[in-house]
Amino acid sequence: MTHLLHLDASARPGLAGKDAHGSHSRNLSQRFVSQWLTRRPHDSLTYRDIGQNRPSYINHDWIASAFTPDERREPWMQDALAESDQLVDELIASDVLVIGTPFYNFGMPAQLKAWVDQVVRLNRTVGIDETRLPDPYLPLLGDRPRHAVILTARGGIGFGPGGEMAHMNHLEPNLVTALNFIGITRIHQIAIEGQETGGEVLAASVTQAQQQVDALVAELQSAVAETAPALVSSAQTEPA
Ligand SMILES: Cc1cc2nc3c(=O)[nH]c(=O)nc-3n(C[C@H](O)[C@H](O)[C@H](O)COP(=O)(O)O)c2cc1C
């Protein structure tokens, strides 16, 4: 059985095309998950709407607790890390992480960054071996072949890999770096562009992204159906 962890980070709760001012990234993530579960109904799902219920921002108590060895933690420190532990548990339990996210001001929305800050955790998702300088970090989620699917929507165009505006896109590059850092290296990206332009530019991008989602569900399902899913390519997909 495969377990999906589905996050939606858009501040807009509705769905584009259905609700006024609805979200395009939610449409993509819901399409991915509903297709997945229709074809593999015995797989399981954890859903978090971090766009509507954002994870807490880390604070002094969180940092003091996370960097105190487990055996020396006081009860208040366990409390300070309870939310983080829950989010880390959910990530560790997942085989496929599906992130629907908007592109805000050239990067990820604050609610998604809050989630990232909660799940990059010393000795839970990343270890440190100080004898291995200058790169002492040991990703801990490489224990099995997890996949991450980043489904985003942008107002402008040309922000994808190779695009004229790609150098101003710090969303997917930041997420990929953070996920790689903790050991999730099979990462797939699909984007809708042109939300602000609208018209045919947006319509064509939506159609292309939907086709890419459908193809990616099929690709990943055949991967997990095999006994050696690690052999599957992590080719990235992106609208032209
Ligand atoms: C606060 C805010 C900042 C945004 N910044 C950018 C941006 O830097 N570049 C861009 O192309 N679009 C930007 N947009 C447009 C969004 O990426 C676009 O509306 C996208 O569809 C949002 O995803 P959603 O439809 O899932 O909510 C911004 C939108 C908002 C609300």
Side-chain angles (χ1 to χ4, degrees):
M1 194 175 79
T2 298
H3 186 69
L4 308 185
L5 173 59
H6 174 190
L7 307 178
D8 272 324
S10 176
R12 308 198 282 186
L15 298 176
K18 178 164 171 271
D19 304 300
H21 306 289
S23 158
H24 288 280
S25 62
R26 285 177 189 270
N27 270 345
L28 288 186
S29 67
Q30 291 198 7
R31 185 182 184 98
F32 184 97
V33 170
S34 70
Q35 284 206 16
W36 186 289
L37 293 177
T38 299
R39 297 160 83 162
R40 287 177 56 105
H42 300 299
D43 286 349
S44 53
L45 171 71
T46 297
Y47 179 60
R48 273 203 180 261
D49 189 343
I50 61 174
Q52 300 304 300
N53 301 292
R54 77 160 166 81
S56 304
Y57 295 134
I58 60 167
N59 57 16
H60 167 275
D61 286 359
W62 189 100
I63 295 168
S65 307
F67 292 93
T68 297
D70 206 8
E71 64 281 4
R72 297 218 320 263
R73 280 192 197 130
E74 299 175 32
W76 68 266
M77 292 178 156
Q78 307 290 358
D79 292 345
L81 294 176
E83 180 181 357
S84 171
D85 281 330
Q86 171 72 32
L87 296 175
V88 168
D89 288 346
E90 290 174 3
L91 182 57
I92 289 173
S94 72
D95 302 291
V96 181
L97 168 64
V98 182
I99 302 176
T101 179
F103 182 48
Y104 287 165
N105 298 315
F106 314 106
M108 72 177 84
Q111 44 272 26
L112 182 55
K113 184 60 165 55
W115 180 84
V116 169
D117 288 345
Q118 292 284 358
V119 300
V120 177
R121 268 282 301 283
L122 183 61
N123 294 334
R124 293 225 59 202
T125 57
V126 65
I128 291 188
D129 176 354
E130 279 153 12
T131 65
R132 289 167 37 117
L133 293 173
D135 179 7
Y137 304 110
L138 304 168
L140 299 180
L141 297 195
D143 56 322
R144 65 176 197 268
R146 291 179 183 80
H147 291 262
V149 178
I150 303 172
L151 303 168
T152 190
R154 310 173 189 131
I157 57 175
F159 287 95
E164 282 186 23
M165 309 291 277
H167 63 289
M168 295 171 72
N169 180 354
H170 304 284
L171 169 53
E172 290 97 329
N174 187 336
L175 261 183
V176 167
T177 298
L179 292 171
N180 283 177
F181 184 67
I182 59 177
I184 301 176
T185 54
R186 295 162 180 80
I187 300 181
H188 314 268
Q189 306 175 38
I190 297 171
I192 288 172
E193 291 200 313
Q195 178 273 326
E196 283 161 4
T197 315
E200 288 186 11
V201 170
L202 173 62
S205 184
V206 167
T207 300
Q208 186 173 27
Q210 288 172 341
Q211 290 168 351
Q212 290 175 327
V213 165
D214 299 352
L216 184 59
V217 170
E219 178 194 335
L220 295 189
Q221 289 200 337
S222 34
V224 300
E226 290 170 10
T227 49
L231 297 177
V232 168
S233 85
S234 57
Q236 298 186 347
T237 50
E238 186 72 29

